Amino acid sequence: METRPPCWPDRMPCPNDCAAKLLNQHAHNHVELTGPWSGWKLRGRDLVSPTGLRLSPERVAGLAWREHNEAWLESKKARAAAAAKARGQQPVKVVVITLADYRQNGIAAG
C-alpha cells in the first residue's frame, strides 16, 4: 500500500506533479537535492552522485570516519612539528663508519 498525499484520492490518477513528487519523497524516498548538493539524489537507502555512483549509508559513514581520522592525524603531526620547532629541536644526522675504514693520522683503527 502506498502513502498518498491528501490531495490524491485512492483509485484516481495523479492530480498534479506536486502530488507525484510528494508520493515519491514519502513512499519511496526519492528526493532530488538542491543547493550545493544539486545533481545528487536520494534513491531508497542510497545517495546517488550526479555520475550515477551509489553510496550506501554504511559507505558514507565509512568515508566520513576516514576523513575525520585523517584530519585528526594531520593535526597531531602539525602540533608535534610545531612543538619540536618551539623547543629548537633539529633532526639528528647519523653517520655509520665501519672501523676497518677509519684512519686517523695514517693509522687504522681496529
Side-chain angles (χ1 to χ4, degrees), residues 1-83:
M1 180 173 163
E2 295 185 67
T3 306
R4 292 173 177 252
C7 63
W8 187 355
D10 284 338
R11 291 186 289 278
M12 296 292 292
C14 179
N16 56 44
D17 290 339
C18 177
K21 184 175 179 181
L22 193 59
L23 172 67
N24 276 335
Q25 285 179 348
H26 290 281
H28 306 294
N29 197 30
H30 286 196
V31 179
E32 305 290 327
L33 301 175
T34 60
W37 288 91
S38 183
W40 289 77
K41 305 171 196 133
L42 286 174
R43 291 294 182 260
R45 301 181 65 236
D46 296 340
L47 179 63
V48 182
S49 74
T51 60
L53 177 66
R54 297 179 80 88
L55 300 167
S56 68
E58 296 82 11
R59 180 70 177 143
V60 172
L63 291 169
W65 178 87
R66 180 177 177 165
E67 183 72 25
H68 168 76
N69 285 302
E70 285 177 351
W72 178 81
L73 184 60
E74 288 300 317
S75 71
K76 288 287 187 186
K77 285 180 183 177
R79 271 188 264 163

Side-chain angles (χ1 to χ4, degrees), residues 92-96:
V92 177
K93 185 173 184 178
V94 177
V95 178
V96 177

